[in-house]
Amino acid sequence: MLDRLVALLPPGLREALRIPAARLSVGRVQPKPSLLPDLDAKPAPMPVVAPPAATNDNPLGSVHEAVERDLRASGHLR
């Protein structure tokens, strides 16, 4: 966002801002190492998990089969 703002400034002002910005970047304090230097603070990547195989769990399937069997036995279905 600042790059877009700086692009709108006249070239002379851009040069004038670059010099102090360069000085600030040279004098920046380096971050301190963590308490445990061998410990990586980033979490480990998550393992890829595949979804379980799809199953057709129709609890009324056995009821439908029983009704159809009884209707066929009584002669209502052919």
Side-chain angles (χ1 to χ4, degrees), residues 32-46:
K32 294 181 183 178
S34 65
L35 295 175
L36 301 172
D38 295 338
L39 180 65
D40 188 14
K42 293 184 282 184
M46 296 293 291

Side-chain angles (χ1 to χ4, degrees), residues 11-56:
L13 185 57
R14 277 188 255 162
E15 286 298 321
L17 290 174
R18 276 192 194 132
I19 294 169
R23 288 182 188 156
L24 287 175
S25 65
V26 170
R28 285 194 179 158
V29 178
Q30 296 296 326
K32 294 181 183 178
S34 65
L35 295 175
L36 301 172
D38 295 338
L39 180 65
D40 188 14
K42 293 184 282 184
M46 296 293 291
V48 178
V49 178
T55 57
N56 187 8

